[in-house]
Amino acid sequence: MTPEVDVQTLRLLLAVAEHGSIGAAARELELSQPAASARLREFEARWRIAVLDRSPGGSRLTEDGEAVVSWARTLLHELDTVRSSLLALGEERRSGVAVAASLTVADLILPRWLAELRARRPHLSPRLHVVNSDTVAAMVRADEVDLGFVETTDVPGDLARQVVGHDSLAVVVAPAHPWARRRTPLTREELQAGSYVLREPGSGTRSTFEAALRKQPHVVLEASSTSALLGAAAAGVGPAVVSRRAVAAEVEQGRLVVVPTALDLQRPLTAVWRRHRRLSDAASDLVLIATEASRTGA
């Protein structure tokens, strides 16, 4: 059977070549000199070559020893590269981040944040769950994700939180709708009398609008998709309430009209995580990226 290459002895032999003595090499590798000498002699016996000329003044590489050291330098460099890469990769995997985000954040904002996170941590593979704000909170609470992003004014008090930005809702209608011609803001009472296409209960959009309206709205169509709401509003089913970011293209193209209202429809974008739990480095980076992006308007 062909003997295996002893990597530790190669490291020892390389140290002897660099320091000129077995004793100095042994100290560098935290070995006793007798143990180092025995290891080198066993290596020579195993491979049936002499790698050192030993003398009272020190140890000198033989011609065979020079060849072995030359090969060892290349091999050990590659092994160290592989080892460092594996450690870095393993650390990135351990610091991976599972994120739950409500629809507006996930569709319109989070992709830019995740792209920046990937730029800073190329080996990271975040996992994203797109759900409504209530479900985000539930997933964080159940430890199913490391971090959540919600778009509601009603953040559960049992979760740690940090506001990372703000968003604003808009009431939009088809150009033929009577409200499309309004120049003065609709009052709360006028809005309370409307019939709407809205997100499902538990969404941040729905809860923000209900809080501003101070009344349960009359809903003629309920959908978990922003695109479905916009399509329904454009078709004349009723006014829709969506993020201004989500409706910008439809308004610019003239398919929908933003209705002025007297309501405060601004809402915070909030990162949430379990109390008394330290965020991983990757999750902390994502919160920082979100905060920085909001400050710069990105």
Side-chain angles (χ1 to χ4, degrees):
M1 181 182 293
T2 303
E4 292 294 327
V5 175
D6 182 351
V7 173
Q8 288 305 107
T9 301
L10 292 181
R11 292 190 187 278
L12 177 59
L13 186 59
L14 188 57
V16 173
E18 291 172 351
H19 296 291
S21 76
I22 296 175
R27 285 191 294 275
E28 179 179 309
L29 298 181
E30 299 181 344
L31 296 171
S32 67
Q33 182 164 340
S37 295
R39 183 184 286 269
L40 288 167
R41 291 190 184 282
E42 194 276 333
F43 181 86
E44 290 176 315
R46 180 189 303 175
W47 294 101
R48 300 179 183 177
I49 57 173
V51 294
L52 292 175
D53 281 334
R54 297 163 177 83
S55 70
S59 298
R60 181 175 58 84
L61 291 173
T62 64
E63 185 175 338
D64 287 345
E66 293 281 3
V68 172
V69 165
S70 176
W71 302 329
R73 281 196 176 96
T74 301
L75 173 63
L76 294 174
H77 173 74
E78 294 298 328
L79 283 174
D80 288 342
T81 299
V82 170
R83 179 177 181 275
S84 298
S85 299
L86 286 171
L87 287 172
L89 183 60
E91 181 59 32
E92 289 288 3
R93 290 293 183 259
R94 287 192 297 275
S95 64
V97 59
V99 181
S102 50
L103 187 63
T104 299
V105 178
D107 279 357
L108 303 174
I109 308 169
L110 191 58
R112 295 195 299 276
W113 300 346
L114 292 176
E116 177 60 25
L117 182 63
R118 283 277 295 168
R120 298 185 187 187
R121 295 175 174 268
H123 298 295
L124 192 68
S125 297
R127 300 181 302 281
L128 175 61
H129 304 267
V130 183
V131 291
N132 64 35
S133 291
D134 279 1
T135 306
V136 170
M139 293 181 74
V140 170
R141 203 176 285 118
D143 206 21
E144 295 175 7
V145 294
D146 304 295
L147 185 64
F149 290 98
V150 296
E151 56 205 26
T152 176
T153 55
D154 186 22
V155 179
D158 62 322
L159 298 179
R161 74 194 66 189
Q162 180 174 322
V163 174
V164 297
H166 290 85
D167 182 44
S168 183
L169 298 180
V171 178
V172 294
V173 295
H177 192 282
W179 287 358
R181 296 185 290 275
R182 284 291 295 244
R183 294 295 175 263
T184 58
L186 289 170
T187 65
R188 180 175 285 108
E189 290 73 19
E190 288 175 306
L191 290 162
Q192 287 174 345
S195 298
Y196 298 90
V197 292
L198 291 178
R199 288 283 310 280
E200 76 285 358
S203 78
T205 298
R206 176 80 169 255
S207 63
T208 299
F209 181 59
E210 289 177 348
L213 195 62
R214 299 179 188 171
K215 181 181 179 181
Q216 291 293 319
H218 180 242
V219 180
V220 293
L221 175 67
E222 189 175 281
S224 59
S225 162
T226 299
S227 59
L229 296 181
L230 297 180
V237 176
V241 181
V242 295
S243 168
R244 285 184 179 271
R245 302 172 195 245
V247 77
E250 283 75 5
V251 170
E252 184 176 342
Q253 294 164 9
R255 294 182 65 238
L256 290 168
V257 177
V258 175
V259 180
T261 78
L263 303 183
D264 178 6
L265 294 177
Q266 189 178 69
R267 57 184 177 169
L269 303 177
T270 307
V272 295
W273 61 95
R274 290 183 67 188
R275 285 193 183 278
H276 313 302
R277 176 174 179 177
R278 179 184 175 276
L279 286 175
S280 69
D281 290 343
S284 294
D285 278 357
L286 187 53
V287 173
L288 179 61
I289 288 166
T291 305
E292 291 173 345
S294 296
R295 287 173 182 165
T296 61

